[in-house]
């Protein structure tokens, strides 16, 4: 399974310019709204034509602007889950799922039935799309594309309309099912945890450009750029200045961080996740902040604590997230010291 | 005695269109500078219906007496204004070349398809039916007839060879150079094909209408009619 | 009242609507597929032409094309022994020609109203263009296509001028209802005319109702409509 | 070649397409709004009727309606001093009557293809039904509505039978292009006929191109179409 | 601000039967896919007509089947965010946003501009919906409904198509903005944390029925029924048997739980959140399980640990979620004892 994409497409005020190769089976794409995720998938599926570039999938050239190759979507054998589902309004759920199958009636029935079961659609077989709820529609769209068994699956926000409970269940089942499936899966999602859980490789898009590409866990541990850090969910980001090898001054928090890691020269920002801080008892060690709590929000499983560096007048706000029972059992809440663990510091450009 | 700049509307049988528009109307307007002629042309049957429904017609020139008489009976024509202006002739036509060798009305039976006007609505058809009845041919002919809803159809069917032969007015035959006249209705075999003219009772322009009808009977006008193949009465 | 015009008209209208329907959607689809440009507009214009010319004149041109002295007519007669003019076939030809623009235009408009994503979805599911057309585009363009069908059927049923010209008015053979009605009206036999008109109305009502019912049934799946 | 039929036809076709267009969409909207049922089908049938009757017969009926001896004609003459028969107005009436079904049907089909959610969205945004119609339904039904407009315009331009009946064939007054063409053909003057036919073709091409261009421009926003 | 809803609507295989009154400003609806959330909102907005019942909003009767009242959607002054956006394809983003406004051109421009800013849509004003990404479309739909300033806002999955970063930002801004807004907000969502953060009251729907309704935090602490517990994200649920006052036997985990709380008699299930367990050093106290770890999954900020009760052969699987750094610093990982804190036990019917 290999996919190599290198495409450019220009719009009046948006330029897509994406470049990657992927050999793994599960591949995720993250990026802010409007960054070109869907457009990239559409180009791969053959629904949009890039202005220039080349797309090769399992040694088949699907598109090559120089050689004037542009394989029809039908012949690409690549399934695309529309973000807006694009269910056929004139067909029932069942017919929608079965419509791409080229096999005998009985086989179709069996396959369709299997998909209906897999996606918990029992009882909805005979309903038309407008009689289905948002989540049901999404599941029919998923079932339709899975039934077709393409060589690659491009999933654009596959679980966005599902409730968390069903989503978890379905994810588990779908990925179980996918293990038997030989194709490649390329998934666009806004859910960081989805990507983290399921995708070996990850590409992050921003404003039409691929800003980072590589092993998912590596990227999550080392996002390298400010944009990537934001996208993987780093809440605290500040400009910084390298003081010496081993010392960085963080402008917004008015603190000097020490590290034994080699500091790349081009570092201009520092980031730290809201979950990465550690409560300590005093600030006798380096990289510890004396926190002035500004505000505590009660979130579902955790508290979100907004604080400033007490040692500085100009400190901007930071966020610390802590599990509720941990916070509840913390003594000394009004003398809060937070350590920034060295290994959790993101050094960003 | 004539009001200045009156316009009168003449309803004329379609077969009169060419001679009216090309010659008669300009000629009359030249002679009567303060009378303008508007004319509308259609099958006489339609003209009759329009007049019955009160269309603003002043003078009616029909292609047969039937329509004129019908209007007269309803009291829509100025008394004694009807003049049997013209006579036309019924002729047998074939496509140029006459491949089927049709020479006379009797030969019509050899034809596969015969074009005649619809006797119900087209005057030429009505006369043709009378003629063929008198010749004892109608029953057979009608079985292979296509009944044109107007003379143009009948003429073109024959001209294009779709029909092998047909019966039309002599004047119509003259207007199409792809047909050939092979025979004319024998004397006495059919009532005279008269084109009557009459003044409509509802007219508010009686005098100009009268002058037009009078003009149509002048020698100048007769000459024109003759030029187009009509026999002035 | 003579029944033959009724039967002839029903036969003619039925056959011609089938021809017009499929020809119309086929051509509408081909044209809709084309990129906007001069050629598209040109073809569109030509296809709409039979509508702007008086039917009698259309009939007149048809007579020129199919007349036994013209190349096409001659060819058909010589090699296939088919005489178009004055045959029942020609009533169908006339009806198809004059009703074609209605079907074509309506279908094209309807196709252009279909959501493009549905077509793309069909493609990514490996459906052939033909299957996409019949299973996706057509059903979703149904209201417009059906409108075209109704218009074309009605127009074909009512066709008079071109029919009279090319098919003639031969009793029991090419005399359709409109010709019969015209005949009756023109000869002032209004009663005869009214009974034929009534027949036309009944026929078209039955067909319209069937079509409406069919559309309604087909439409039940959709969340469309004012 | 006499130019007056051209001018008359353009005037007639322009005025009648405006009338037909707005009348057509207004009535289509009212009908589309109705629930499916017998009444809807009945009205639909009546509105489609002018299409199934030969235009000449439609003309006869119009003559019966507007004749000065008939109630309506009498009323118009007495109180408004308007004489319909043989007037230019009657060419418009004839064109409107015969082209109306085309506009009505196409518009209705197009309206029925509009996504209902859009209408509901308009309602929850407090838009009046009128505003929803003009700002939401119409633009989204444009391809179908425009098709109807094109059909109706072409039909109006080509109208002959009913016009001849109610408006007559008076040079410089009611002789429209189709009547002129017919007259030329009837009097065997094929050259005159051809030049008029050419004019008709040019006029309809210009209008069709304009309409196509307009639709294309309006359509640029949408992701629709085959 | 008050909304009282009591409606019934029957479909062939789905019956909606919902009943609630709400005085608060922010009100959330949770429920699995297809449970009738959207349908309920549509009935309130006047887009669907209930078969019977009554809807009263701020003392205006909007619907009453007995009195034959059914106020037009236009006159309800209730904005509804379609789950599928329902943007007008013939209007640009800007026009979509402004189309419901009844005011002078200038005012419209100002208001539209404000919304465009609030929803980060700058630069997209002139784009048509099909030129917008999924998230951009959702934001235009949100902006459109906010611009209209209805007396109540019904939001159906308002942030589902947004990336987490933008979502958090937008949520904060939108709720800031909403503070100035006088209307009532009813929000349907699949995101438990969204509800928890923003909605004072919560209704949970299941299969068309309202299964629980009340203060959000109370429900999250005490879901009362199995369905509700699942929906608020309780992963570990098992049938149980009351042994005595103070003792419950949990079938699936083969353990007896002790509690000092009063045990309601009709209890048939026990639930515990994956986050609620606490690591302890031995099992000398009650409510502690000796855990046999089956599987550990690496999730984004935490590990998901699947385990069984080592003391029992028949124990079914449970899930424990723990923050990564906490787990990392745990010694004795292969002798794991987890305590089920008494206060975290959900007693369910
Ligand atoms: N046809 C078009 N014309 C102009 N701009 C377009 C067109 N289609 C998409 N765009 C722009 O391209 C950008 C990328 O769109 P895309 O749908 O790929 O975003 P996305 O990453 O999928 O976002 P989301 O997460 O919101 O779905 C957007 O800014 C959009 O406005
Ligand atoms: N017109 C209809 N005819 C029959 N059933 C319908 C119709 N509309 C909706 N339903 C059914 O009603 C149920 C509730 O639908 P609804 O859209 O309210 O669900 P929901 O709670 O919003 O779900 P989701 O979170 O997936 O959007 C679904 O099971 C759906 O199949
Ligand atoms: O009145 Mo006609 O045009 O000679 O049939
Ligand atoms: Mg997208
Ligand atoms: Mg929903």
């Amino acid at each position: 399974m290999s996919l190599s994409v290198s495409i450019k497409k220009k719009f009046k005020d948006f330029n897509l310019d994406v470049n990657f190769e992927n050999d793994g089976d599960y591949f995720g794409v993250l990026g802010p709204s409007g960054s070109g995720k869907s457009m990239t998938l559409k180009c791969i599926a053959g629904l949009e034509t890039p202005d220039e570039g080349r797309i090769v999938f399992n040694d088949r050239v699907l598109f090559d602007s120089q050689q004037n190759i542009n394989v029809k979507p039908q012949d690409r054998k690549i399934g695309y889950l529309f973000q807006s589902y694009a269910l056929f309004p004139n067909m029932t759920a069942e017919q929608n799922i079965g419509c791409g199958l080229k096999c005998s009636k009985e086989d179709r029935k069996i396959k369709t039935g299997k998909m209906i079961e897999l996606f918990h659609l029992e009882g909805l077989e005979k309903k038309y799309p407008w009689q289905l709820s948002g989540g049901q529609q999404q599941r029919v769209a998923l079932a339709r594309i899975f039934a077709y068994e393409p060589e690659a699956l491009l999933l654009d926000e596959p679980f966005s309309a599902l409730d968390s409970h069903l989503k978890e269940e379905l994810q588990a089942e779908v990925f179980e099912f996918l293990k038997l499936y030989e194709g490649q899966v390329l998934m666009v999602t806004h859910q960081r945890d989805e990507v983290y859980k399921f995708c070996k490789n990850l590409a992050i898009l921003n404003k039409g450009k691929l800003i980072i590409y590589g092993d998912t866990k590596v990227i999550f541990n080392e996002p390298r750029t400010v944009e990537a850090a934001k996208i993987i969910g780093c809440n605290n980001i500040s400009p910084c200045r390298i003081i010496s090898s081993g010392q960085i001054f963080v402008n917004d928090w008015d603190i000097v961080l020490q590290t034994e890691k080699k500091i790349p020269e081009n570092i201009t920002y520092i980031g730290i996740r809201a979950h990465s801080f550690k409560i300590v008892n005093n600030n006798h060690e380096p990289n510890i902040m004396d926190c002035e709590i500004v505000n505590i929000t009660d979130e579902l499983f955790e508290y979100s604590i907004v604080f400033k560096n007490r040692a500085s007048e100009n400190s901007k706000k930071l966020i610390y997230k802590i599990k509720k029972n941990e916070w509840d059992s913390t003594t000394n809440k009004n003398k809060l010291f937070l350590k920034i663990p060295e290994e959790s510091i993101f050094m960003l450009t | 005695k004539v009001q200045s700049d009156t316009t009168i509307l003449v309803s004329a049988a379609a077969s009169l269109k060419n001679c009216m528009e090309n010659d008669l109307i300009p000629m009359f307007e030249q002679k009567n500078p303060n009378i303008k002629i508007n004319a509308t042309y259609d099958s006489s049957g339609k003209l009759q219906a329009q007049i019955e429904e009160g269309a603003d017609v002043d003078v009616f020139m029909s292609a047969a007496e039937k329509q004129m008489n019908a209007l007269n009976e309803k009291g829509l024509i100025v008394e004694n204004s009807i003049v049997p202006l013209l006579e036309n002739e019924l002729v047998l036509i074939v496509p140029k070349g006459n491949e089927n060798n049709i020479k006379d009305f009797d030969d019509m039976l050899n034809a596969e398809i015969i074009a005649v006007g619809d006797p119900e609505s087209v005057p030429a058809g009505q006369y043709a039916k009378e003629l063929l009845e008198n010749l004892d041919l109608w029953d057979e002919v009608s079985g292979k007839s296509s009944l044109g809803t107007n003379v143009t159809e009948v003429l073109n069917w024959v001209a294009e060879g779709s029909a092998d032969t047909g019966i039309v007015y002599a004047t119509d035959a003259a207007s199409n150079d792809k047909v050939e006249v092979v025979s004319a209705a024998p004397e006495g075999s059919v009532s005279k094909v008269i084109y009557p003219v009459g003044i409509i009772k509802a007219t508010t322009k009686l005098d100009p209408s009268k002058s037009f009808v009078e003009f149509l009977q002048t020698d100048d006008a007769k000459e024109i009619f003759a030029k187009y193949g009509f026999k002035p009465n | 009242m003579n029944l033959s015009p009724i039967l002839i008209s029903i036969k003619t209208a039925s056959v011609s609507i089938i021809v017009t329907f499929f020809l119309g959607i086929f051509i509408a689809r081909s044209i809709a597929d084309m990129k906007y440009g001069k050629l598209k507009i040109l073809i569109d214009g030509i296809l709409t032409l039979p509508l702007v010319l008086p039917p009698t004149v259309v009939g007149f041109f048809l007579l020129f094309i199919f007349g036994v002295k013209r190349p096409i007519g001659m060819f058909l007669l010589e090699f296939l022994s088919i005489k178009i003019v004055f045959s029942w076939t020609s009533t169908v030809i006339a009806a198809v020609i004059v009703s074609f623009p209605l079907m074509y235009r309506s279908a094209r408009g309807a196709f252009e109203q279909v959501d493009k994503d549905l077509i793309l979805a069909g493609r990514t599911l490996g459906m052939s263009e033909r299957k996409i057309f019949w299973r996706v585009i057509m059903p979703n363009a149904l209201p417009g296509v059906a409108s075209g069908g109704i218009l074309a059927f009605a127009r074909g049923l009512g066709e008079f001028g071109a029919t009279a010209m090319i098919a003639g008015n031969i009793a029991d053979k090419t005399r359709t209802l409109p010709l019969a009605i015209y005949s009756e009206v023109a000869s002032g036999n209004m009663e005869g005319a009214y009974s034929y008109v009534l027949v036309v109305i009944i026929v078209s009502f039955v067909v319209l109702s069937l079509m409406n019912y069919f559309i309604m049934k087909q439409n039940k799946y959709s969340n469309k409509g004012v």
Side-chain angles (χ1 to χ4, degrees), chain A, chain B, chain C:
Chain A
M1 289 296 136
S2 80
L3 175 68
S4 134
V5 174
S6 151
I7 48 174
K8 288 203 170 100
K9 191 171 169 74
K10 247 186 142 84
F11 290 98
K12 228 179 73 193
D13 45 10
F14 178 80
N15 290 327
L16 188 72
D17 182 354
V18 174
N19 231 306
F20 64 82
E21 290 196 20
N22 182 51
D23 285 327
D25 285 354
Y26 295 85
F27 178 43
V29 182
L30 270 180
S33 173
S35 55
K37 304 183 295 296
S38 299
M39 187 64 75
T40 305
L41 295 198
K42 281 184 187 167
C43 286
I44 298 173
L47 305 181
E48 293 271 357
T49 310
D51 296 336
E52 52 182 295
R54 194 175 148 90
I55 301 173
V56 185
F57 174 58
N58 286 350
D59 302 327
R60 283 192 293 141
V61 179
L62 300 183
F63 177 81
D64 191 320
S65 57
Q66 280 177 349
Q67 290 178 259
N68 247 323
I69 298 177
N70 191 3
V71 176
K72 281 193 299 175
Q74 281 98 329
D75 299 335
R76 296 194 178 196
K77 306 232 179 66
I78 292 186
Y80 173 68
L81 179 79
F82 280 74
Q83 199 170 2
S84 56
Y85 319 145
L87 294 179
F88 302 125
N90 55 311
M91 301 184 194
T92 60
E94 202 173 42
Q95 288 168 337
N96 260 290
I97 296 170
C99 72
L101 299 179
K102 286 185 196 72
C103 56
S104 74
K105 260 198 177 151
E106 279 126 53
D107 280 4
R108 171 178 312 190
K109 221 177 152 181
I110 294 169
K111 273 197 189 171
T112 312
K114 222 168 78 187
M115 288 302 141
I116 284 173
E117 204 180 308
L118 180 63
F119 289 96
H120 303 275
L121 290 164
E122 295 95 344
L124 303 172
E125 292 91 341
K126 302 276 178 262
K127 287 202 174 183
Y128 288 99
W130 68 279
Q131 298 172 313
L132 296 173
S133 78
Q136 290 166 346
Q137 287 179 24
Q138 189 169 44
R139 281 177 280 148
V140 173
L142 268 167
R144 179 171 74 173
I145 214 150
F146 271 80
Y148 172 51
E149 290 180 356
E151 292 179 16
L153 281 171
L154 310 183
L155 305 178
D156 202 347
E157 301 286 345
F159 305 113
S160 63
L162 303 180
D163 56 293
S164 338
H165 182 70
L166 182 60
K167 182 161 102 178
E168 277 161 29
E169 202 172 323
L170 209 56
Q171 278 177 347
E173 288 166 7
V174 163
F175 283 89
E176 202 56 47
F177 177 82
L178 280 178
K179 279 191 195 143
L180 304 174
Y181 166 76
E182 313 240 294
Q184 184 163 26
V185 180
L186 208 161
M187 184 163 100
V188 158
T189 176
H190 291 310
Q191 301 305 119
R192 302 188 269 256
D193 49 342
E194 254 169 44
V195 170
Y196 192 85
K197 246 199 237 164
F198 299 115
C199 300
K200 211 195 141 295
N201 290 322
L202 171 64
I204 294 185
L205 289 188
N206 194 30
K207 295 189 185 145
K209 306 262 164 314
L210 188 96
I211 55 171
I212 193 166
Y213 168 73
D215 183 273
T216 307
K217 303 215 164 150
V218 171
I219 293 177
F220 269 87
N221 285 328
E222 228 179 279
R224 292 220 296 273
T225 66
V226 174
E227 289 87 7
K230 275 188 189 159
I231 289 162
I232 64 159
C234 171
N235 301 69
N236 304 305
I237 294 179
S238 158
C240 67
R241 208 174 65 230
I242 304 177
I243 298 178
S244 66
S245 77
Q247 283 199 317
I248 304 174
F249 174 71
V250 186
N251 307 18
D252 288 353
W253 314 328
D254 212 350
I255 189 177
V256 174
L257 294 183
Q258 308 205 345
T259 171
E260 312 208 320
K261 280 199 272 188
K262 203 181 131 28
I263 304 175
E265 266 177 34
N266 54 350
I267 289 307
T268 47
Y269 283 87
I270 283 295
I272 178 147
R273 280 233 179 77
H275 290 95
S276 299
F277 298 100
K278 242 187 193 158
I279 296 182
V280 289
N281 293 327
N282 53 54
N283 55 356
H284 298 163
E285 287 168 59
N287 298 357
I288 291 180
M289 236 189 264
D290 183 356
C291 302
E292 178 188 335
I293 295 177
V294 178
N295 179 2
I296 299 182
T297 332
D298 173 12
E299 288 183 3
L300 190 44
F301 298 124
E302 49 198 17
Y303 292 109
S304 182
I305 297 170
V306 179
F307 64 95
K308 285 184 181 177
N309 183 356
R310 199 193 296 273
S312 158
E313 290 220 325
N314 311 322
S315 165
K316 299 223 171 107
K317 290 175 191 165
L318 289 95
I319 299 180
Y320 171 44
K321 292 197 176 180
I322 180 171
K323 243 178 108 174
K324 284 188 178 172
N325 51 17
E326 202 180 335
W327 182 247
D328 291 340
S329 58
T330 302
T331 51
N332 239 347
K333 283 185 188 138
N334 31 17
K335 252 204 121 8
L336 180 68
F337 294 103
L338 285 181
K339 184 179 169 77
I340 302 175
E342 209 181 307
E343 69 278 8
S344 312
I345 298 174
F346 295 151
M347 291 189 258
L348 310 169
T349 53
Chain B
K1 64 175 191 178
V2 170
Q3 300 152 269
S4 58
D5 287 310
T6 14
T7 302
I8 61 172
L9 179 61
V10 179
S11 273
S15 44
L16 292 166
K17 179 181 171 262
N18 283 352
C19 68
M20 288 282 283
E21 287 209 331
N22 299 349
D23 294 290
L24 291 170
I25 293 176
M27 191 187 273
F28 175 79
E29 283 182 344
Q30 203 182 12
K31 287 185 181 166
N32 304 269
N34 44 8
I35 304 179
K36 211 181 151 311
I37 305 285
N38 272 349
T40 180
Y41 309 92
D42 212 323
S43 308
S44 308
K46 285 196 208 167
L47 298 177
Q48 177 198 339
Q50 288 167 336
I51 291 167
E52 280 172 1
E53 293 305 324
D56 250 346
V57 177
D58 301 294
V59 175
F60 178 35
M61 300 172 74
S62 172
E65 287 179 301
K66 181 183 164 199
Q67 287 78 14
M68 187 65 83
N69 293 342
L71 290 177
N72 200 17
E73 271 158 32
K74 291 187 178 160
L76 297 173
I77 305 290
V78 174
E79 267 148 59
N80 302 323
S81 71
I82 301 177
V83 179
L85 184 64
L86 298 173
E87 195 186 329
N88 210 336
E89 211 182 356
L90 226 46
V91 295
L92 184 69
I93 54 169
V94 293
K96 220 165 211 154
N98 193 10
E99 283 152 13
N100 289 335
N101 212 9
I102 292 170
K103 298 244 167 61
D104 208 342
F105 289 96
D106 290 333
D107 298 337
M108 288 174 84
L109 300 181
N110 302 333
E112 205 180 315
I113 297 238
I114 298 163
V116 290
D118 183 356
E120 299 288 333
S121 58
V122 180
Q126 172 196 320
Y127 286 114
K129 182 181 176 190
E130 186 190 335
L131 168 70
L132 294 172
E133 273 172 349
N134 289 340
L135 297 176
D136 243 355
L137 295 169
W138 176 246
D139 285 342
E140 271 174 272
V141 166
S142 69
K144 31 171 109 169
S145 288
S146 180
L147 305 178
T149 59
N150 55 55
V151 173
T152 315
E153 276 169 20
V154 178
L155 211 50
N156 278 293
W157 288 340
V158 178
E160 289 301 318
S162 306
D164 305 312
T165 181
I167 298 174
V168 294
Y169 286 157
T171 52
D172 297 320
S175 76
N176 193 313
D177 52 17
K178 289 189 220 143
V179 299
E180 211 173 287
V181 176
V182 289
S183 177
E187 271 294 327
S189 58
V190 61
S191 35
K192 273 190 174 177
V193 180
I194 297 294
Y195 276 47
V197 58
I199 298 172
I200 306 301
K201 206 171 217 167
T203 183
T204 53
K205 298 147 191 167
L206 189 58
D207 290 336
S209 303
K210 275 184 175 159
S211 8
F212 181 67
V213 173
E214 276 159 22
F215 161 79
L216 291 177
Q217 299 170 61
T218 61
D219 286 346
D220 286 346
K222 282 182 178 169
E223 218 169 282
I224 302 287
F225 283 130
K227 183 175 129 195
Y228 282 89
F230 293 102
K231 266 196 265 172
N233 227 345
Chain C
M1 187 170 58
N2 186 339
L3 293 183
S4 90
I6 303 175
L7 298 179
I8 292 175
S9 258
I10 290 179
K11 242 172 71 185
T12 300
S14 316
V15 173
S16 66
I17 185 58
I18 292 173
V19 177
T20 309
F21 187 83
F22 289 102
L23 200 67
I25 57 176
F26 173 74
I27 296 198
R29 185 198 167 189
S30 316
I31 301 291
D33 262 339
M34 287 172 63
K35 290 254 172 297
Y36 268 102
K38 288 198 188 108
L39 187 65
K40 183 166 184 168
I41 291 176
L42 183 76
I43 297 179
D44 190 58
I46 292 171
L47 293 174
T48 316
L49 213 56
L51 203 63
V52 284
L53 295 177
T56 317
V57 174
V58 172
F60 191 73
F61 287 129
L62 288 179
L63 202 58
F64 277 11
I65 294 172
F66 293 108
V68 291
K69 293 176 176 173
R70 308 281 171 174
I72 297 180
M74 232 137 96
F75 171 84
L76 290 173
L77 189 61
E78 287 277 305
F79 293 96
L80 305 169
S81 298
I82 298 173
K83 202 173 163 192
I84 300 290
V85 178
F86 283 175
S87 65
W88 173 76
T89 315
S90 60
T91 65
V92 175
I93 293 179
V96 167
I97 296 280
V98 297
S99 60
F100 174 78
L102 305 183
M103 188 64 219
Y104 155 70
R105 256 268 145 227
S106 303
R108 207 187 120 186
F111 293 161
E112 284 173 356
Q113 261 179 269
V114 173
D115 189 345
K116 202 167 183 180
D117 272 357
L118 299 181
I119 298 161
L120 295 179
R123 294 206 180 125
T124 58
L125 290 170
M127 288 164 78
S128 65
E129 293 296 330
R130 161 189 240 107
K131 193 169 171 193
I132 291 175
F133 181 71
W134 288 107
R135 301 279 323 266
V136 178
I137 299 176
M138 270 297 281
N140 286 292
L142 197 73
V145 172
S147 278
I150 288 175
L151 287 177
F153 176 81
R155 183 71 187 80
L157 188 64
E159 166 42 30
F160 166 74
T163 311
M165 205 67 190
I166 187 180
N169 179 8
I170 305 171
D172 302 334
K173 191 171 164 201
T174 63
R175 180 174 300 161
T176 58
L177 266 172
L179 283 164
I181 294 173
Y182 177 78
S183 229
E184 301 288 339
V185 170
S187 62
N189 178 8
M190 290 315 289
E191 270 176 31
Y194 286 141
S195 43
Y196 280 128
V197 167
L198 199 70
V199 173
V200 170
I201 293 178
I202 291 171
V203 170
S204 52
F205 254 81
V206 169
V207 174
L208 283 181
S209 306
L210 283 178
M211 285 224 184
N212 266 319
Y213 175 76
F214 173 76
I215 298 173
M216 185 188 66
K217 256 193 76 177
Q218 280 290 310
N219 233 17
K220 69 163 197 293
Y221 60 73
S222 93
N223 193 23
K224 299 291 173 82
V226 183

